[in-house]
């Protein structure tokens, strides 16, 4: 069901879809969405995980402190926000 929703968002869009993946892990979703044309970005809270992100994907991922994120991060510019890796664990 979620795959068909994402497919329809990307296929019917005349502009780039902005996606934020919160707790993106090593950036698999960010990388895959960018390859499909999305303006995908990620946020990771673990420095150990952040260090494992591929260089080509890391430029689209920010390492943030969770307190800063909760208090100051602006989510208004994103059409889709995911937290798949967060809820998995």
């Amino acid at each position: 069901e979620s795959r068909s929703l994402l497919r329809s968002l990307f296929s019917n869009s005349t502009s780039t879809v902005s996606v934020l993946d919160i707790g993106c892990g090593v950036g698999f979703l960010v990388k895959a969405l960018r390859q499909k044309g999305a303006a995908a970005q990620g946020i990771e809270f673990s420095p150990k995980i952040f260090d494992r992100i591929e260089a080509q994907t890391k430029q689209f991922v920010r390492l943030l402190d969770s307190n800063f994120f909760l208090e100051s991060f602006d989510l208004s510019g994103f059409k889709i926000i995911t937290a798949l890796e967060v809820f998995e664990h």
Side-chain angles (χ1 to χ4, degrees), residues 21-25 43-45 69 82-89:
D21 187 16
I22 299 170
C24 68
I43 294 174
E44 180 52 50
F45 302 106
F69 173 75
T82 66
L84 302 176
E85 295 292 326
V86 172
F87 294 117
E88 177 184 324
H89 303 286

Side-chain angles (χ1 to χ4, degrees), residues 21 24-32 44 49 53-54 57 61 85:
D21 187 16
C24 68
V26 295
F28 292 132
L29 183 60
V30 172
K31 180 179 179 179
E44 180 52 50
I49 299 297
I53 301 171
E54 294 177 355
T57 303
V61 177
E85 295 292 326

Side-chain angles (χ1 to χ4, degrees), residues 14-79:
T14 56
S15 62
T16 304
V17 177
S18 57
V19 181
L20 176 64
D21 187 16
I22 299 170
C24 68
V26 295
F28 292 132
L29 183 60
V30 172
K31 180 179 179 179
L33 291 173
R34 291 195 73 81
Q35 289 172 341
K36 295 289 185 185
Q41 297 178 39
I43 294 174
E44 180 52 50
F45 302 106
S46 167
K48 289 180 183 180
I49 299 297
F50 183 79
D51 289 342
R52 293 177 42 213
I53 301 171
E54 294 177 355
Q56 66 193 45
T57 303
K58 191 178 265 189
Q59 63 184 317
F60 304 108
V61 177
R62 292 178 61 188
L63 177 63
L64 291 182
D65 174 84
S66 58
N67 290 328
F68 171 82
F69 173 75
L70 292 172
E71 295 169 6
S72 306
F73 195 82
D74 181 16
L75 300 172
S76 65
F78 299 96
K79 185 171 184 175

